[in-house]
Amino acid sequence: MLSLAACSSGQSNTEGSGGKESRSSQQESSESSSSNLTSSTSDTSASKSDESKSTVGMNLNQIAAGDYTSIAGTWKNEKGETITFNGNEVSGNGVDNVTLSLNDPSFEDKILFINATYDSKTDSRPYSTGIYFATAGLSPEIKGTDKSDTTKDRLILLRDGGTSVFGEDSGIKYFYYRVTEAK
């Protein structure tokens, strides 16, 4: 706002014979305000960075290669269910409070799909689900509009389904969004 005030007061001074001096004064004032604004923004960014760890964006290519650092941490859906990624494992009440292993990544319709299965050495239940990962701004090529919050990285767990769930109103409450990062 400081920058806007300086510009508007400088504009009224550019009329008349002292236009060059006023314009020069306006430029100095604007540059000074801009510098102060940049400094203020940097200070604010630094203090926000100190308060909490900055969010790392989801990286689909790294995930497909077995590097899960960009999804590490806890994710939550509108139903209040949470899942936590720790390495190649996912656990939490969103997956019935068990630990599943991530495997067999593949790209499907511009979205990353990964199987999540029980570790057969520790649990004999025949449980598996699929997880679709979509980065902020990326949507699968579906009929209709992506109903999830496309401004955020998101994922959804599905037992039977496909990328069409991104366009369904009924699936919205099942999309998970990051709430914390791994420490």
Side-chain angles (χ1 to χ4, degrees):
M1 261 194 220
L2 182 61
S3 180
L4 292 175
C7 290
S8 63
S9 66
Q11 287 175 347
S12 62
N13 290 336
T14 59
E15 297 174 9
S17 62
K20 289 183 181 177
E21 290 178 17
S22 297
R23 199 167 286 151
S24 175
S25 174
Q26 175 190 3
Q27 287 173 340
E28 289 173 12
S29 176
S30 178
E31 288 170 6
S32 173
S33 296
S34 177
S35 174
N36 289 340
L37 184 59
T38 302
S39 174
S40 174
T41 303
S42 296
D43 292 343
T44 303
S45 297
S47 66
K48 283 183 181 179
S49 176
D50 292 342
E51 291 174 15
S52 65
K53 192 175 180 181
S54 64
T55 301
V56 174
M58 182 188 299
N59 185 316
L60 299 182
N61 290 326
Q62 284 179 346
I63 298 166
D67 178 353
Y68 302 104
T69 55
S70 70
I71 57 169
T74 302
W75 297 67
K76 186 176 183 177
N77 66 20
E78 284 184 21
K79 294 176 62 179
E81 298 169 332
T82 60
I83 57 174
T84 301
F85 290 92
N86 185 10
N88 77 324
E89 297 180 337
V90 60
S91 60
N93 67 358
V95 290
D96 301 327
N97 295 313
V98 297
T99 300
L100 303 173
S101 296
L102 303 175
N103 52 64
D104 301 325
S106 63
F107 284 91
E108 183 179 317
D109 200 17
K110 296 183 354 182
I111 303 298
L112 182 63
F113 175 80
I114 295 183
N115 284 317
T117 57
Y118 280 119
D119 181 355
S120 60
K121 295 175 190 166
T122 61
D123 199 321
S124 62
R125 290 181 277 185
Y127 183 97
S128 70
T129 189
I131 305 175
Y132 283 98
F133 296 88
T135 58
L138 181 67
S139 294
E141 295 172 358
I142 56 175
K143 291 182 180 180
T145 304
D146 185 343
K147 308 278 184 170
S148 64
D149 185 348
T150 60
T151 65
K152 298 177 182 177
D153 290 342
R154 60 219 183 275
L155 56 94
I156 190 163
L157 285 74
L158 301 169
R159 289 185 195 229
D160 298 314
T163 57
S164 62
V165 73
F166 282 79
E168 298 172 4
D169 288 326
S170 61
I172 299 308
K173 61 186 172 190
Y174 295 98
F175 278 91
Y176 288 83
Y177 302 93
R178 186 189 311 266
V179 290
T180 65
E181 284 190 36
K183 297 181 184 204

